[in-house]
Amino acid sequence: MTSRLNLVILGIQGAGKGTQCKRLSATYVIPHISTGDILRAAIKDKTELGFEVESILAQGGLVSDDLVNRLVEERFKQADAAKGALLDGFPRTIGQAEALDAILGDDGVKLCINLDAPIELVTDRLSRRRVCQECGHIYRDTDEAATSGECALCGGPVIQRADDTADSIRQRLSLYERDTAPLLHYYEERGLLVTLDADQSVDEVTAEIEKILAERGLV
Ligand code: AMP
């Protein structure tokens, strides 16, 4: 059996995880699994799950481990994840990392790529971020699509995320330090951690990731 390319993309909010995952997903033909995207889609579709999590997301809190673990377990049962996946925003706690190991079994996480960015940079990026509600493409507030409110790729509405407000950004960054930063140690101990400087152009970060994957014989 060929081994699956299961990659965890770690990094503070605004480090560029979503942008890199979209590119890598197209290159390696594996799905981009973002628990944040799954939860936002549920809110937009007004499902039971959406109602349950809406206020938690708006305040920048964390949804329970049990709930997101179940979502990820279900997602991995879909056929497109048979060759692996790019995980973005999951795991976010040690409990979730352990659950992920259990979900994946022997053919588990191959690498954890940590996109390292200074707090000032991500605070600025998050407050200026605009996103297409249809395709998820990310813009800056000064981009034409952001000022016109229409996505240049799919024509969908370009909005500011409900949790990209100053209070919510502060809360999310502090939860990152408390709950998610310990994951660096978790993956380092297992010899799976690579840290990259995310304060570079999108192309430069993508090129570095591709080089590391090739050097490690993962692609
Ligand atoms: P993100 O798009 O990854 O920034 O996630 C947006 C929001 O969704 C977070 O601030 C949390 O409220 C929730 N969320 C996403 N992924 C997780 C997770 N793995 N564990 C708990 N909450 C999550």
Side-chain angles (χ1 to χ4, degrees):
M1 188 182 127
T2 33
S3 104
R4 292 176 297 178
L5 185 59
N6 293 314
L7 301 175
V8 170
I9 311 297
L10 213 64
I12 202 160
Q13 290 84 348
K17 301 188 295 293
T19 302
Q20 293 300 328
C21 283
K22 283 190 180 60
R23 293 175 147 218
L24 298 165
S25 167
T27 305
Y28 301 117
V29 200
I30 49 172
H32 167 203
I33 301 180
S34 155
T35 40
D37 283 351
I38 296 172
L39 296 169
R40 276 185 294 277
I43 294 170
K44 184 166 165 264
D45 296 343
K46 300 192 184 308
T47 65
E48 208 175 302
L49 168 68
F51 284 118
E52 196 180 329
V53 300
E54 188 165 13
S55 64
I56 302 176
L57 262 78
Q59 287 160 22
L62 284 185
V63 171
S64 77
D65 281 3
D66 269 0
L67 197 155
V68 281
N69 292 345
R70 266 186 283 128
L71 289 178
V72 171
E73 185 165 15
E74 284 309 307
R75 184 62 186 83
F76 267 104
K77 288 182 185 159
Q78 292 178 27
D80 64 342
K83 289 188 187 152
L86 290 145
L87 287 156
D88 164 10
F90 183 92
R92 244 182 172 90
T93 63
I94 296 285
Q96 293 178 18
E98 288 168 351
L100 178 63
D101 288 343
I103 291 166
L104 295 176
D106 292 340
D107 202 8
V109 173
K110 297 294 155 28
L111 201 63
C112 171
I113 297 166
N114 173 37
L115 301 180
D116 187 37
I119 215 106
E120 304 74 37
L121 176 80
V122 300
T123 308
D124 180 63
R125 276 190 191 170
L126 290 173
S127 58
R128 300 185 57 192
R129 175 164 73 179
R130 300 294 182 273
V131 51
C132 171
Q133 229 178 348
E134 291 302 328
C135 72
H137 193 77
I138 294 160
Y139 294 99
R140 283 201 130 199
D141 55 353
T142 46
D143 291 340
E144 158 72 23
T147 48
S148 71
E150 191 179 310
C151 179
L153 302 182
C154 75
V158 175
I159 56 146
Q160 180 168 34
R161 271 173 49 168
D163 59 350
D164 279 344
T165 58
D167 278 353
S168 184
I169 290 171
R170 243 191 318 276
Q171 165 73 354
R172 285 153 66 210
L173 296 180
S174 96
L175 284 184
Y176 178 87
E177 281 308 319
R178 194 191 73 186
D179 295 324
T180 310
L183 288 178
L184 298 176
H185 181 62
Y186 183 90
Y187 286 112
E188 188 165 35
E189 262 186 337
R190 287 158 179 75
L192 292 173
L193 183 73
V194 174
T195 293
L196 300 184
D197 178 10
D199 192 2
Q200 315 181 63
S201 74
V202 172
D203 283 345
E204 283 169 328
V205 176
T206 308
E208 269 202 53
I209 296 175
E210 290 179 352
K211 184 162 165 263
I212 288 163
L213 295 178
E215 278 170 2
R216 297 205 168 206
L218 292 171
V219 293

